[in-house]
Amino acid sequence: MATSTTAPDADRREPRAGSPARGPARRPRGPRRSLLPYLLLAPAVVLELAIHVIPMVVGVWMSLLELTQFHIRDWSTAPFVGLENYRATLDLNSAAGKELLHSFWVTLAYSLLSVGFAWLLGISAAVVLQRPFRGRAILRALFLTPYALPVYAAVITWSFLLQRDTGLVNHVLVDQLGLLGERPFWLIGDNSFWSLLVVSVWRNWPFAFLCLMAGLQNVPGELYEAAAIDGAGFWRRLRSVTLPMLRPVNLVLLLVLFLWTFNDFNTPFVLFGGSAPEQADLISIHIYRSSFKTWDFGSGSAMSVALLLFLLIVSAAYLLITNRRRDDHA
């Protein structure tokens, strides 16, 4: 019985000579395929508008109004004053301008000292824990505890510790160690600034430690071995190998820490309440008191916008200087 066989894939015929070659078939892009990326981004865009953009625009509009307690129920009745709130707020000859300038200098000193000490503790702990040893994982977990704690729980705990009569700090310094003759006030007077600084450093240095420790993981061990062979000691290796290799991390870390600290509201508000002492009157508390204590939301909004512009200028200048130095070294 004769059987006929056909070649496999008989339907796939070679193109004839002279016929145009056909490229790979393309799937038609429908409207659903083209809109998918925008649909995925829509929730993030809506949240960004609702949380940041719209409140920012409303704050700028409020700074142009004489929005006091007499007009807070109906904004349409608040008179438009233009830049008058900015003139009154930034007039350094007036009482309001002098108070704002004082808060600015206190905040600047507080931010620089907090960022400096936080970075110093972070780099020290990261370098010490770079090499493996027994118990390193436990120390890492303990060092990161302040960063993992909620801010309100951590700062409220510090407020109890710093109480004059019942606080643990005075109990240890006065009753147990006898270092002080009398119990000082830590939350009022000149000591309030240093108490706020200690709490801020305690909260921020684990973040610096985490970033710097992650940066040290990318430093090749061969560089340290070569430096040791050349006779470089610990400080020489730190200055010539560790710090140059951590420069990209430090550029971002210092800027982020400065912005966080300069805008810090939770730490002084929980530690001192709504009215911080004059020595610890940060600009965030000053704006809060001007807005919600005196009910002058127009002036408070003007201060907030001025603070935003200042931080934008500082960030732009910092990035410009650091990028220029990087290009010079390159």
Side-chain angles (χ1 to χ4, degrees), residues 138-149 203 205-211 213:
I138 299 177
L139 286 179
R140 285 180 174 178
L142 291 177
F143 287 168
L144 293 176
T145 301
Y147 183 68
L149 287 176
R203 287 192 57 246
W205 84 267
F207 177 75
F209 162 68
L210 183 64
C211 295
M213 184 177 61

Side-chain angles (χ1 to χ4, degrees), residues 20-209:
R22 296 180 179 178
R26 298 182 179 179
R27 295 180 179 180
R29 296 184 178 181
R32 293 182 179 179
R33 184 179 179 86
S34 61
L35 292 177
L36 180 60
Y38 301 99
L39 293 177
L40 295 177
L41 289 176
V45 173
V46 171
L47 289 177
E48 183 68 20
L49 290 173
I51 297 175
H52 291 110
V53 178
I54 295 178
M56 188 182 304
V57 174
V58 173
V60 174
W61 174 248
M62 288 172 59
S63 67
L64 304 177
L65 303 176
E66 189 181 353
L67 190 58
T68 60
Q69 58 182 338
F70 303 104
H71 309 285
I72 192 63
R73 289 188 175 181
D74 189 2
W75 289 19
S76 61
T77 60
F80 181 83
V81 294
L83 300 179
E84 187 61 30
N85 289 326
Y86 295 93
R87 297 190 186 97
T89 300
L90 301 178
D91 184 10
L92 302 182
N93 295 323
S94 63
K98 292 179 180 179
E99 292 179 357
L100 181 62
L101 183 62
H102 171 76
S103 297
F104 172 79
W105 289 120
V106 171
T107 308
L108 184 61
Y110 162 75
S111 301
L112 294 178
L113 290 174
S114 178
V115 172
F117 282 117
W119 180 87
L120 184 61
L121 291 175
I123 189 64
S124 301
V127 171
V128 170
L129 298 183
Q130 184 180 10
R131 294 184 178 181
F133 58 88
R134 181 177 297 180
R136 184 177 67 165
I138 299 177
L139 286 179
R140 285 180 174 178
L142 291 177
F143 287 168
L144 293 176
T145 301
Y147 183 68
L149 287 176
V151 56
Y152 287 96
V155 179
I156 287 176
T157 303
W158 272 102
S159 67
F160 285 117
L161 294 176
L162 295 173
Q163 292 296 321
R164 180 181 183 272
D165 297 325
T166 60
L168 182 62
V169 174
N170 280 341
H171 175 69
V172 173
L173 295 178
V174 178
D175 298 336
Q176 294 185 349
L177 300 180
L179 298 178
L180 300 176
E182 58 182 6
R183 297 176 180 270
F185 291 95
W186 296 107
L187 299 179
I188 60 175
D190 296 334
N191 293 329
S192 60
F193 176 83
W194 303 107
S195 300
L196 178 62
L197 181 63
V198 169
V199 177
S200 176
V201 172
W202 181 81
R203 287 192 57 246
N204 290 335
W205 84 267
F207 177 75
F209 162 68

Side-chain angles (χ1 to χ4, degrees), residues 1-6:
M1 182 177 178
T3 59
S4 60
T5 60
T6 58

